[in-house]
Amino acid sequence: MPIVIRYYYTHISPWSYLGHARLGEIAARHGASVDYVPITLGAIFPRTGGLPLAKRAPERQAYRMAELRRWPDRLGLPLNVEPRHFPTDDRPSARLALAAKARGHAIAELSLALMRACWAEERNIADPETLREIAEACGLDGTALLEDADSEAGRQRLDQACQEALADGCFGAPWYSVDGEPFWGQDRLELLEEALARPE
């Protein structure tokens, strides 16, 4: 049985964006599969002691900005450290991606497009029309996905995803779980790869 990496993320997390493609590359190198699970931190932080960015101490906010300036250059990824549409509601994009997943679509590309829209393209991924355009650019039926995402079933999917994240110990994003071993943050991907390389 191939190893499955459970990956919890939000499209408005710059750290999820910075690690998203690399996770897929690491999984491919080791014959692992990735279970992509978009969540909303609005359901995670209140249960685990996290604070929204605006409520964090100035020192923590300043260090976050320092790291955001370091990592894009190191990884060769475009990233605006202060995007026009951040913070924004991360639930609509999560429900859209979960709707696509429920219909059997792989959502790695869709989720990367959503992250790139926020962090590199100055687009508002809480806006339904923007979500429809991004989904259709990925070859999906954006209108149908939006209808599904906005349904009661769509909301329940996101609630379930967040409950699964909490059960896996998640308190931030990105969060990776390999055979119950947790890894928090894209800067832990090297450690995650070492775990995948261990002999069984």
Side-chain angles (χ1 to χ4, degrees):
M1 291 288 291
I3 295 174
V4 177
I5 304 165
R6 292 275 287 174
Y7 167 37
Y8 301 101
Y9 59 97
T10 169
H11 300 114
I12 64 167
S13 161
W15 315 112
S16 296
Y17 166 58
L18 290 170
H20 190 83
R22 285 159 53 223
L23 174 64
E25 293 164 3
I26 288 169
R29 280 199 294 272
H30 294 274
S33 64
V34 180
D35 183 9
Y36 292 85
V37 188
I39 57 172
T40 172
L41 290 178
I44 302 299
F45 282 170
R47 294 278 300 276
T48 59
L51 290 175
L53 181 60
K55 293 185 177 181
R56 296 175 197 167
E59 295 83 359
R60 289 180 176 269
Q61 294 192 40
Y63 187 75
R64 173 184 175 275
M65 291 299 288
E67 286 280 84
L68 280 180
R69 290 188 174 96
R70 290 185 187 123
W71 279 99
D73 287 342
R74 180 181 179 88
L75 298 173
L77 287 173
L79 185 144
N80 179 355
V81 298
E82 295 185 280
R84 184 179 305 138
H85 300 287
F86 177 86
T88 193
D89 189 351
D90 60 359
R91 293 171 298 178
S93 65
R95 289 196 296 259
L96 180 87
L98 287 168
K101 182 179 178 180
R103 290 170 175 238
H105 299 297
I107 61 170
E109 178 188 356
L110 173 62
S111 284
L112 182 58
L114 290 163
M115 293 174 186
R116 190 185 299 116
C118 177
W119 291 102
E121 299 172 355
E122 301 288 19
R123 300 170 75 185
N124 181 8
I125 61 169
D127 172 63
E129 181 59 21
T130 300
L131 293 176
R132 185 188 65 76
E133 291 172 359
I134 292 170
E136 293 190 350
C138 292
L140 304 173
D141 185 338
T143 300
L145 289 180
L146 281 173
E147 290 176 359
D148 190 348
D150 287 338
S151 69
E152 181 60 28
R155 296 173 192 278
Q156 288 178 358
R157 279 189 211 107
L158 180 55
D159 290 343
Q160 180 64 32
C162 293
Q163 291 303 313
E164 291 171 3
L166 289 165
D168 268 346
C170 174
F171 56 78
W175 188 272
Y176 318 101
S177 180
V178 179
D179 287 336
E181 184 176 355
F183 301 86
W184 175 42
Q186 60 87 29
D187 51 345
R188 302 304 194 278
L189 282 172
E190 183 178 340
L191 297 176
L192 184 151
E193 183 161 20
E194 288 177 3
L196 294 177
R198 290 178 198 146
E200 295 184 11

